[in-house]
Amino acid sequence: MTILDQLAEIERDITASVSAAPAEADLEAIRIAELGKKGRISLLMRELGTMPPEERLRAGPVLNGLKDRVATAISARRQALEVETMNRRLENEREDLTLAHRQEFQGALHPVMQVFEEIAAIFADMGFSVAEGPDIEDDFHNFTALNFPVGHPAREMHDTFFLRPAADGSRKVLRTHTSPVQIRTMMSAPPPIRIIAPGRVYRKDWDATHTPMFHQVEGLVIDKTAHMGHLKQCLTDFCARFFEVERAETRLRPHFFPFTEPSAEMDVRCDRSGGEIRVGVGSDWLEILGCGMVHPNVLRQCGLDPEEVQGFAFGMGVDRLAMLKYGMPDLRPYFEADVDWIRHYGFRPWLIPTVTGGLS
Ligand code: DAH
């Protein structure tokens, strides 16, 4: 048999075993046996040196070609095996994603979260973005910058939870309202500002309508011209949309907050005669939020010039808004993790409220 015949036979032999190799390990064994230092092809390569020049001239390129073809065949087979392995894994690890939908309705969105989403959708539609701040606040942001001077009796309006004093004697607090986010926002970016700040707040209180942790949404608008008229219309539109009625009627009652001047509470016209509250009609009034024009001292604390910019702010209790809208009589079950309660009052989590597509 000539060397060329021999090579053709070797090639057939190798190609057959490569394409039959059942796994990557077998392929690697073939590679070592044929192309490795002591492999069949390497040994033949070495033999080239001992051949007569004429034969070497013919066998050399053939041998090199063989070597290349074998290497290519092995890497092609390796790729094919990888694909096979991956396909087998994909087949075995297949998850039936339709399963959850066939199960009984289990989890539900808490009404407070639902109402947060609804409020955010309404204000987003009016061009507000969402801002956030920490639950653990310092005295400056929670009080001082909001025009509650140290020792001022207005601080006692909030039954504050204090953390242990730090080495320098300062004490952080669990924020008593979301108003500190106003300060953080004004100190971090120049006007115009149009934000809402939803979040948890904390006060020492516990009865049917008060829990030590509850939820507020703060609002802040700062520019050169925003005035009480804007405030009233903005919040009246909010009421109509939130309570999902054509028209809402509101009134502002004078009130006191240290951080706004003038300050007011806003009531919305409602009817309580039928046991449940209907907004937009009737002869009763329902208090729904606090608001006012941002106090010049607050603007100054944030490095803004009250001669240059002005604006309004508002704050509302989300838990109470949820109670009013969805007819929940007691606040305490909100935080009792009672499965029956959440089944009754909860919302489907995948139905995201939108102004155009429907809120609730
Ligand atoms: N921070 C007030 C509270 O917790 C609520 C509030 C009232 C916020 C008036 C405001 C506002 O921004 O203008 O009682």
Side-chain angles (χ1 to χ4, degrees):
M1 213 191 313
T2 68
I3 173 100
L4 295 182
D5 290 336
Q6 224 179 321
L7 289 180
E9 202 179 301
I10 290 179
E11 181 160 1
R12 270 196 301 279
D13 185 33
I14 299 179
T15 319
S17 55
V18 165
S19 54
E24 282 189 52
D26 305 291
L27 210 51
E28 182 60 9
I30 296 173
R31 193 189 63 78
I32 293 170
E34 307 296 353
L35 299 177
K37 252 193 211 141
K38 292 184 183 149
R40 203 157 32 152
I41 296 177
S42 310
L43 292 180
L44 282 170
M45 285 288 217
R46 225 168 291 158
E47 263 175 44
L48 277 180
T50 65
M51 287 178 190
E54 211 176 285
E55 207 172 327
R56 189 190 320 158
L57 222 54
R58 272 189 300 133
V62 177
L63 203 50
N64 271 322
L66 168 63
K67 194 175 147 195
D68 289 347
R69 285 194 299 281
V70 167
T72 312
I74 289 179
S75 75
R77 178 67 185 150
R78 177 167 291 133
Q79 274 183 16
L81 282 175
E82 276 170 14
V83 171
E84 270 177 38
T85 312
M86 179 55 84
N87 283 343
R88 220 173 304 125
R89 269 189 59 191
L90 288 175
E91 193 52 44
N92 290 341
E93 295 172 12
R94 184 182 286 270
E95 293 283 352
D96 183 357
L97 296 179
T98 60
L99 218 52
H101 293 282
R102 291 206 295 268
Q103 277 176 1
E104 251 217 293
F105 167 54
Q106 287 200 328
L109 197 64
H110 196 285
V112 167
M113 294 301 125
Q114 167 74 16
V115 167
F116 265 154
E117 299 275 355
E118 293 179 17
I119 294 173
I122 296 168
F123 282 107
D125 198 52
M126 297 190 212
F128 285 70
S129 52
V130 172
E132 283 182 320
D135 287 21
I136 297 176
E137 260 301 2
D138 52 39
D139 185 272
F140 174 77
H141 290 91
N142 196 79
F143 291 123
T144 309
L146 286 162
N147 201 30
F148 292 80
V150 176
H152 192 282
R155 286 189 178 218
E156 313 303 321
M157 280 165 52
H158 299 187
D159 294 306
T160 312
F161 286 110
F162 290 93
L163 275 73
R164 276 194 215 99
D168 65 2
S170 66
R171 301 183 87 178
K172 294 225 173 179
V173 300
L174 292 181
R175 67 176 174 192
T176 56
H177 49 178
T178 42
S179 303
V181 185
Q182 286 188 31
I183 304 300
R184 292 186 175 275
T185 305
M186 284 188 275
M187 294 183 89
S188 66
I193 292 169
R194 202 182 280 187
I195 56 111
I196 56 165
R200 295 195 182 101
V201 299
Y202 307 83
R203 291 183 203 175
K204 283 188 254 172
D205 237 339
W206 180 243
D207 60 36
T209 52
H210 296 91
T211 49
M213 186 277 289
F214 58 106
H215 303 84
Q216 289 186 336
V217 170
E218 191 78 13
L220 177 70
V221 172
I222 302 283
D223 57 27
K224 287 185 184 296
T225 55
H227 56 64
M228 282 299 269
H230 296 141
L231 176 157
K232 187 166 188 219
Q233 194 58 52
C234 170
L235 295 174
T236 306
D237 285 351
F238 164 76
C239 288
R241 285 183 157 181
F242 179 72
F243 290 106
E244 301 182 60
V245 293
E246 255 317 288
R247 242 179 58 79
E249 192 187 332
T250 56
R251 68 176 185 191
L252 291 172
R253 259 182 305 102
H255 199 77
F256 171 76
F257 298 106
F259 36 87
T260 42
E261 181 57 36
S263 303
E265 279 187 332
M266 181 176 257
D267 300 338
V268 63
R269 183 183 286 285
C270 71
D271 175 45
R272 294 173 208 248
S273 57
E276 72 181 48
I277 295 177
R278 290 201 302 143
V279 167
V281 291
S283 52
D284 267 344
W285 294 95
L286 180 68
E287 183 234 309
I288 55 158
L289 53 84
C291 57
M293 296 303 293
V294 178
H295 197 292
N297 288 351
V298 174
L299 294 171
R300 271 187 222 108
Q301 285 280 4
C302 299
L304 298 175
D305 179 358
E307 300 298 325
E308 283 286 315
V309 294
Q310 59 188 37
F312 61 84
F314 53 88
M316 52 184 104
V318 174
D319 311 79
R320 210 172 82 85
L321 284 175
M323 284 169 89
L324 292 169
K325 181 163 177 181
Y326 294 113
M328 293 167 285
D330 190 340
L331 191 59
R332 283 170 294 197
Y334 273 42
F335 308 108
E336 282 171 359
D338 175 344
V339 173
D340 286 336
W341 185 86
I342 196 77
R343 278 220 179 99
H344 184 78
Y345 288 112
F347 291 80
R348 303 266 164 148
W350 51 85
L351 297 180
I352 310 249
T354 63
V355 170
T356 44
L359 287 177
S360 57

